[in-house]
Amino acid sequence: MKLVLHSYTFRRYPLRHVFAVARRYGWDGIELVHFHFDPARVEDEVADAVALGRRYGVGVHCVGYTGDFVSDDPQARAASLALAERTITAAARHGVGLVNGWSGTLERDPDDWRRNGSAVAEERHYARAAEGYRRLGAYAGRHGVRVGVEVYPGSVHDTVATTARLLAMVDHPDVVATADPGNAYVVSEPDRDPAVLDQLAGRLGYFHLKNLYPDGGRADFNVDTAEGVLDNYAWITRAASLGVPAICVEYCGDGDPHPPISRAVGYVRGCLALRDDLDRRHAAAEAAPVTEALPAGQPLPVAEALPVTGALPVAGALPVVAAGSGTGR
């Protein structure tokens, strides 16, 4: 599994800074978003970003797009889809296999995400989004690129359930979901349980990671990935069990992004190492013969029989590490 650094984390810094930080802390790639390139010049901008990444030894895993596929204005929809196709072409030309974004937003109350997006969407909005993604899926498939549909506040796909609904309408193998639990937490009660990801089984192509504290109808992202209200060990391991090929971490809070993001890669890898170690221990415990009853409170002697691999610095504890992925940015 690849671990990707979202360039929105360093939105106040130049792109070379993103690549240098990614190299410094061992990220496998970056997600390039419009804070670091001009979408109107996407062909040249993606080419320049990929070349810059090669100089730092870090690849571009994903290029972001922003859509307006649900607009009442047919010209706006057409222009948005044409730009998304140009983004796909630019990505394909430089070996980037994923573009990620959303279909547009429907906003009634900017201060309460629960009142926007799917809460106000009508069938025509879903139909327009599905039509747009069918077109993009066919285009992307011919270019060897996949199109990510991010769970994003204000969009018709602002929860896992509405994203699954849209993907079912699109029904194209090259259009996949980008789950983002932090984006959906305040929007939907079911999106607080990692089991909700099972609705995206077979269609989960990407995963954004962050944490938050609820702030009314919005999210406060001034928090490390290992803190906040999301049990990110559970989210990471659930996404991994569904075969997600890459996890992208983003810090969306205020202040200096370096301390939280420097801890993030260790946190995610620590979660995966802990999962693997626990799986081995479970397997050994289930396979071990029990010849006699142990006194009450005495543990099975499994730990002594198993080597500790990928152990964390403090036994039995995850390190407190970095802040997470963005509000779908």
Side-chain angles (χ1 to χ4, degrees):
M1 178 191 296
K2 291 181 68 174
L3 299 187
V4 178
L5 173 61
H6 203 301
S7 81
Y8 180 76
T9 301
F10 294 99
R11 53 201 174 273
R12 293 179 291 272
Y13 292 81
L15 184 58
R16 67 174 188 165
H17 190 91
V18 183
F19 282 118
V21 170
R23 178 70 179 202
R24 169 68 177 82
Y25 293 116
W27 295 88
D28 299 318
I30 74 159
E31 177 171 343
L32 179 69
V33 293
H34 64 277
F35 287 84
H36 287 110
F37 74 94
D38 177 5
R41 300 180 58 253
V42 65
E43 294 85 0
D44 292 338
E45 296 280 59
V46 170
D48 290 346
V50 169
L52 184 64
R54 289 198 183 107
R55 293 167 63 184
Y56 284 91
V58 178
V60 175
H61 177 77
C62 173
V63 179
Y65 68 87
T66 54
D68 193 14
F69 314 155
V70 298
S71 171
D72 288 333
D73 181 351
Q75 291 185 325
R77 297 199 302 271
S80 180
L81 286 164
L83 182 55
E85 288 178 339
R86 288 173 56 196
T87 305
I88 291 166
T89 301
R93 185 171 295 147
H94 299 283
V96 179
L98 178 70
V99 298
N100 181 67
W102 54 94
S103 61
T105 56
L106 300 169
E107 189 171 86
R108 178 169 59 186
D109 184 350
D111 294 320
D112 191 341
W113 296 353
R114 299 165 296 186
R115 292 169 49 81
N116 304 318
S118 62
V120 297
E122 300 175 9
E123 286 302 318
R124 61 193 169 98
H125 298 118
Y126 279 100
R128 289 170 184 166
E131 180 182 9
Y133 278 119
R134 277 193 293 270
R135 169 176 159 177
L136 293 183
Y139 188 85
R142 294 194 296 271
H143 288 78
V145 174
R146 304 183 93 188
V147 179
V149 181
E150 183 176 333
V151 175
Y152 187 82
S155 70
V156 299
H157 43 89
D158 54 4
T159 69
V160 165
T162 54
T163 303
R165 174 189 174 186
L166 177 60
L167 291 185
M169 294 173 67
V170 175
D171 192 24
H172 195 286
D174 292 308
V175 179
V176 297
T178 298
D180 192 328
N183 280 352
Y185 183 92
V186 299
V187 177
S188 161
E189 184 82 26
D191 284 82
R192 301 176 185 183
D193 181 355
V196 75
L197 291 179
D198 293 354
Q199 296 181 47
L200 301 174
R203 297 178 292 182
L204 184 60
Y206 198 35
F207 189 86
H208 276 181
L209 187 72
K210 61 173 165 284
N211 218 318
L212 74 145
Y213 288 112
D215 182 13
R218 298 176 61 90
D220 177 1
F221 292 125
N222 290 292
V223 57
D224 270 13
T225 311
E227 299 174 356
V229 296
L230 290 173
D231 179 355
N232 273 333
Y233 172 81
W235 285 101
I236 290 167
T237 53
R238 194 78 174 209
S241 74
L242 293 171
V244 71
I247 290 179
C248 178
V249 179
E250 175 185 15
Y251 179 65
C252 291
D254 301 321
D256 183 356
H258 299 87
I261 212 65
S262 70
R263 297 186 290 266
V265 70
Y267 174 71
V268 177
R269 288 190 172 131
C271 286
L272 294 170
L274 176 60
R275 176 208 58 181
D276 293 344
D277 183 71
L278 294 181
D279 285 349
R280 288 191 294 269
R281 293 174 186 275
H282 294 321
E286 291 164 4
V290 179
T291 57
E292 59 183 40
L294 294 170
Q298 181 174 334
L300 285 170
V302 175
E304 293 80 5
L306 286 171
V308 177
T309 58
L312 297 164
V314 179
L318 288 173
V320 176
V321 270
S325 152
T327 67
R329 291 174 169 67

